[in-house]
Amino acid sequence: MTQTRTVLCARCLETANGLSRPPRAGAVGQLVYENVCQNCWDEWFEQSVNVINHYGLNPALREHREQLYEVMKEFFNLAG
């Protein structure tokens, strides 16, 4: 039986189901895992396509991923 974990989401400010695992490796993935609900992550996943296309980002390039992560942190109200 899988136990559902809840988080106080930094974006929607609600206590909701969290992600089942960090979405990315490293500190950024852990930050999202601890502070973002599944619903807001799903919204970001769709929005990220728009961000990639708007800025012409290539996620295979480290500097482009870092730019995408900065936009993602702003989206989730995690920028600090």
Side-chain angles (χ1 to χ4, degrees), residues 28-39:
V28 172
Q30 192 64 33
L31 183 66
V32 170
Y33 178 73
E34 293 172 358
N35 296 288
V36 176
C37 71
Q38 183 67 54
N39 290 338

Side-chain angles (χ1 to χ4, degrees), residues 14-64:
E14 295 182 15
T15 300
N17 290 339
L19 283 67
S20 60
R21 64 180 203 273
R24 304 281 179 264
V28 172
Q30 192 64 33
L31 183 66
V32 170
Y33 178 73
E34 293 172 358
N35 296 288
V36 176
C37 71
Q38 183 67 54
N39 290 338
C40 288
W41 175 256
D42 293 342
E43 288 178 28
W44 165 251
F45 194 79
E46 292 180 22
Q47 181 67 22
S48 68
V49 173
N50 296 330
V51 172
I52 289 167
N53 290 335
H54 178 76
Y55 292 107
L57 300 177
N58 177 353
L61 300 174
R62 181 179 182 190
E63 59 270 12
H64 288 202

